[in-house]
PDB file of all heavy atoms in Angstrom:
ATOM      1  N   MET A   1     131.061 129.139  90.347  1.00  0.00           N
ATOM      2  CA  MET A   1     130.899 129.829  91.629  1.00  0.00           C
ATOM      3  C   MET A   1     131.001 128.827  92.762  1.00  0.00           C
ATOM      4  O   MET A   1     130.507 127.690  92.676  1.00  0.00           O
ATOM      5  CB  MET A   1     129.608 130.519  91.717  1.00  0.00           C
ATOM      6  CG  MET A   1     129.467 131.594  92.771  1.00  0.00           C
ATOM      7  SD  MET A   1     127.905 132.447  92.848  1.00  0.00           S
ATOM      8  CE  MET A   1     128.110 133.544  91.353  1.00  0.00           C
ATOM      9  N   SER A   2     131.691 129.145  93.889  1.00  0.00           N
ATOM     10  CA  SER A   2     131.912 128.133  94.905  1.00  0.00           C
ATOM     11  C   SER A   2     130.590 128.001  95.802  1.00  0.00           C
ATOM     12  O   SER A   2     129.818 128.870  95.847  1.00  0.00           O
ATOM     13  CB  SER A   2     133.101 128.523  95.791  1.00  0.00           C
ATOM     14  OG  SER A   2     132.734 129.621  96.582  1.00  0.00           O
ATOM     15  N   ILE A   3     130.489 126.803  96.405  1.00  0.00           N
ATOM     16  CA  ILE A   3     129.368 126.465  97.267  1.00  0.00           C
ATOM     17  C   ILE A   3     129.612 127.066  98.675  1.00  0.00           C
ATOM     18  O   ILE A   3     130.516 126.638  99.398  1.00  0.00           O
ATOM     19  CB  ILE A   3     129.268 124.997  97.384  1.00  0.00           C
ATOM     20  CG1 ILE A   3     128.936 124.353  95.972  1.00  0.00           C
ATOM     21  CG2 ILE A   3     128.175 124.627  98.386  1.00  0.00           C
ATOM     22  CD1 ILE A   3     127.641 124.856  95.377  1.00  0.00           C
ATOM     23  N   GLN A   4     128.726 128.032  99.039  1.00  0.00           N
ATOM     24  CA  GLN A   4     128.881 128.576 100.348  1.00  0.00           C
ATOM     25  C   GLN A   4     127.886 128.049 101.420  1.00  0.00           C
ATOM     26  O   GLN A   4     128.099 128.064 102.604  1.00  0.00           O
ATOM     27  CB  GLN A   4     128.520 130.150 100.279  1.00  0.00           C
ATOM     28  CG  GLN A   4     129.506 130.952  99.376  1.00  0.00           C
ATOM     29  CD  GLN A   4     129.052 132.291  99.156  1.00  0.00           C
ATOM     30  OE1 GLN A   4     128.470 133.010 100.036  1.00  0.00           O
ATOM     31  NE2 GLN A   4     129.198 132.791  97.965  1.00  0.00           N
ATOM     32  N   ALA A   5     126.780 127.374 100.816  1.00  0.00           N
ATOM     33  CA  ALA A   5     125.780 126.806 101.807  1.00  0.00           C
ATOM     34  C   ALA A   5     125.344 125.549 101.235  1.00  0.00           C
ATOM     35  O   ALA A   5     125.228 125.362  99.960  1.00  0.00           O
ATOM     36  CB  ALA A   5     124.588 127.727 101.915  1.00  0.00           C
ATOM     37  N   VAL A   6     125.152 124.575 102.131  1.00  0.00           N
ATOM     38  CA  VAL A   6     124.535 123.233 101.768  1.00  0.00           C
ATOM     39  C   VAL A   6     123.261 123.185 102.490  1.00  0.00           C
ATOM     40  O   VAL A   6     123.185 123.216 103.786  1.00  0.00           O
ATOM     41  CB  VAL A   6     125.515 122.069 102.124  1.00  0.00           C
ATOM     42  CG1 VAL A   6     124.913 120.794 101.583  1.00  0.00           C
ATOM     43  CG2 VAL A   6     126.886 122.294 101.540  1.00  0.00           C
ATOM     44  N   VAL A   7     122.167 123.052 101.804  1.00  0.00           N
ATOM     45  CA  VAL A   7     120.835 123.019 102.301  1.00  0.00           C
ATOM     46  C   VAL A   7     120.158 121.697 102.092  1.00  0.00           C
ATOM     47  O   VAL A   7     120.110 121.234 100.959  1.00  0.00           O
ATOM     48  CB  VAL A   7     119.992 124.216 101.819  1.00  0.00           C
ATOM     49  CG1 VAL A   7     118.590 124.239 102.425  1.00  0.00           C
ATOM     50  CG2 VAL A   7     120.696 125.538 102.058  1.00  0.00           C
ATOM     51  N   PHE A   8     119.567 121.120 103.169  1.00  0.00           N
ATOM     52  CA  PHE A   8     118.987 119.780 103.085  1.00  0.00           C
ATOM     53  C   PHE A   8     117.421 119.780 103.232  1.00  0.00           C
ATOM     54  O   PHE A   8     116.841 120.556 104.035  1.00  0.00           O
ATOM     55  CB  PHE A   8     119.577 118.962 104.174  1.00  0.00           C
ATOM     56  CG  PHE A   8     120.996 118.719 104.106  1.00  0.00           C
ATOM     57  CD1 PHE A   8     121.907 119.643 104.634  1.00  0.00           C
ATOM     58  CD2 PHE A   8     121.524 117.547 103.610  1.00  0.00           C
ATOM     59  CE1 PHE A   8     123.270 119.427 104.618  1.00  0.00           C
ATOM     60  CE2 PHE A   8     122.857 117.332 103.543  1.00  0.00           C
ATOM     61  CZ  PHE A   8     123.741 118.279 104.045  1.00  0.00           C
ATOM     62  N   ASP A   9     116.822 118.953 102.368  1.00  0.00           N
ATOM     63  CA  ASP A   9     115.444 118.598 102.655  1.00  0.00           C
ATOM     64  C   ASP A   9     115.462 117.789 103.959  1.00  0.00           C
ATOM     65  O   ASP A   9     116.483 117.090 104.280  1.00  0.00           O
ATOM     66  CB  ASP A   9     114.878 117.736 101.460  1.00  0.00           C
ATOM     67  CG  ASP A   9     113.599 117.121 101.825  1.00  0.00           C
ATOM     68  OD1 ASP A   9     112.655 117.846 102.271  1.00  0.00           O
ATOM     69  OD2 ASP A   9     113.544 115.923 101.714  1.00  0.00           O
ATOM     70  N   ALA A  10     114.347 117.762 104.757  1.00  0.00           N
ATOM     71  CA  ALA A  10     114.359 117.028 105.966  1.00  0.00           C
ATOM     72  C   ALA A  10     113.771 115.589 105.824  1.00  0.00           C
ATOM     73  O   ALA A  10     114.499 114.608 106.055  1.00  0.00           O
ATOM     74  CB  ALA A  10     113.616 117.829 107.042  1.00  0.00           C
ATOM     75  N   TYR A  11     112.509 115.532 105.453  1.00  0.00           N
ATOM     76  CA  TYR A  11     111.823 114.245 105.490  1.00  0.00           C
ATOM     77  C   TYR A  11     112.185 113.360 104.360  1.00  0.00           C
ATOM     78  O   TYR A  11     111.973 113.706 103.223  1.00  0.00           O
ATOM     79  CB  TYR A  11     110.326 114.492 105.542  1.00  0.00           C
ATOM     80  CG  TYR A  11     109.872 115.264 106.735  1.00  0.00           C
ATOM     81  CD1 TYR A  11     109.311 116.563 106.574  1.00  0.00           C
ATOM     82  CD2 TYR A  11     110.018 114.759 108.055  1.00  0.00           C
ATOM     83  CE1 TYR A  11     109.002 117.326 107.699  1.00  0.00           C
ATOM     84  CE2 TYR A  11     109.664 115.618 109.148  1.00  0.00           C
ATOM     85  CZ  TYR A  11     109.126 116.850 108.952  1.00  0.00           C
ATOM     86  OH  TYR A  11     108.768 117.588 110.039  1.00  0.00           O
ATOM     87  N   GLY A  12     112.790 112.209 104.611  1.00  0.00           N
ATOM     88  CA  GLY A  12     113.201 111.334 103.592  1.00  0.00           C
ATOM     89  C   GLY A  12     114.641 111.576 103.111  1.00  0.00           C
ATOM     90  O   GLY A  12     115.206 110.698 102.482  1.00  0.00           O
ATOM     91  N   THR A  13     115.256 112.708 103.527  1.00  0.00           N
ATOM     92  CA  THR A  13     116.602 112.946 103.141  1.00  0.00           C
ATOM     93  C   THR A  13     117.558 112.881 104.315  1.00  0.00           C
ATOM     94  O   THR A  13     118.439 112.052 104.332  1.00  0.00           O
ATOM     95  CB  THR A  13     116.613 114.461 102.493  1.00  0.00           C
ATOM     96  OG1 THR A  13     115.796 114.457 101.357  1.00  0.00           O
ATOM     97  CG2 THR A  13     118.059 114.724 102.065  1.00  0.00           C
ATOM     98  N   LEU A  14     117.266 113.659 105.394  1.00  0.00           N
ATOM     99  CA  LEU A  14     118.029 113.487 106.662  1.00  0.00           C
ATOM    100  C   LEU A  14     117.351 112.562 107.557  1.00  0.00           C
ATOM    101  O   LEU A  14     117.920 111.781 108.324  1.00  0.00           O
ATOM    102  CB  LEU A  14     118.236 114.915 107.264  1.00  0.00           C
ATOM    103  CG  LEU A  14     119.116 115.953 106.609  1.00  0.00           C
ATOM    104  CD1 LEU A  14     119.150 117.180 107.383  1.00  0.00           C
ATOM    105  CD2 LEU A  14     120.505 115.402 106.456  1.00  0.00           C
ATOM    106  N   TYR A  15     115.993 112.628 107.545  1.00  0.00           N
ATOM    107  CA  TYR A  15     115.198 111.835 108.473  1.00  0.00           C
ATOM    108  C   TYR A  15     114.432 110.723 107.727  1.00  0.00           C
ATOM    109  O   TYR A  15     113.780 111.015 106.684  1.00  0.00           O
ATOM    110  CB  TYR A  15     114.221 112.760 109.200  1.00  0.00           C
ATOM    111  CG  TYR A  15     114.917 113.683 110.123  1.00  0.00           C
ATOM    112  CD1 TYR A  15     115.135 115.017 109.757  1.00  0.00           C
ATOM    113  CD2 TYR A  15     115.325 113.249 111.370  1.00  0.00           C
ATOM    114  CE1 TYR A  15     115.813 115.924 110.541  1.00  0.00           C
ATOM    115  CE2 TYR A  15     116.008 114.143 112.225  1.00  0.00           C
ATOM    116  CZ  TYR A  15     116.234 115.487 111.786  1.00  0.00           C
ATOM    117  OH  TYR A  15     116.873 116.354 112.628  1.00  0.00           O
ATOM    118  N   ASP A  16     114.408 109.549 108.320  1.00  0.00           N
ATOM    119  CA  ASP A  16     113.749 108.432 107.710  1.00  0.00           C
ATOM    120  C   ASP A  16     112.287 108.350 108.144  1.00  0.00           C
ATOM    121  O   ASP A  16     112.004 107.960 109.319  1.00  0.00           O
ATOM    122  CB  ASP A  16     114.502 107.161 108.183  1.00  0.00           C
ATOM    123  CG  ASP A  16     113.985 105.855 107.481  1.00  0.00           C
ATOM    124  OD1 ASP A  16     113.004 106.005 106.705  1.00  0.00           O
ATOM    125  OD2 ASP A  16     114.572 104.836 107.701  1.00  0.00           O
ATOM    126  N   THR A  17     111.404 108.798 107.238  1.00  0.00           N
ATOM    127  CA  THR A  17     109.950 108.852 107.613  1.00  0.00           C
ATOM    128  C   THR A  17     109.487 107.379 107.889  1.00  0.00           C
ATOM    129  O   THR A  17     108.379 107.195 108.533  1.00  0.00           O
ATOM    130  CB  THR A  17     109.133 109.488 106.509  1.00  0.00           C
ATOM    131  OG1 THR A  17     109.382 108.829 105.273  1.00  0.00           O
ATOM    132  CG2 THR A  17     109.460 110.950 106.398  1.00  0.00           C
ATOM    133  N   GLN A  18     110.164 106.403 107.261  1.00  0.00           N
ATOM    134  CA  GLN A  18     109.761 105.027 107.465  1.00  0.00           C
ATOM    135  C   GLN A  18     109.949 104.602 108.896  1.00  0.00           C
ATOM    136  O   GLN A  18     109.410 103.527 109.208  1.00  0.00           O
ATOM    137  CB  GLN A  18     110.550 104.199 106.490  1.00  0.00           C
ATOM    138  CG  GLN A  18     109.996 102.854 106.097  1.00  0.00           C
ATOM    139  CD  GLN A  18     108.631 102.963 105.414  1.00  0.00           C
ATOM    140  OE1 GLN A  18     108.324 104.036 104.919  1.00  0.00           O
ATOM    141  NE2 GLN A  18     107.846 101.940 105.466  1.00  0.00           N
TER     142      GLN A  18
END
Side-chain angles (χ1 to χ4, degrees):
Chain A
M1 196 178 285
S2 74
I3 297 300
Q4 298 169 40
V6 185
V7 181
F8 296 82
D9 168 56
Y11 302 112
T13 301
L14 292 177
Y15 294 99
D16 187 357
T17 54
Q18 201 61 21

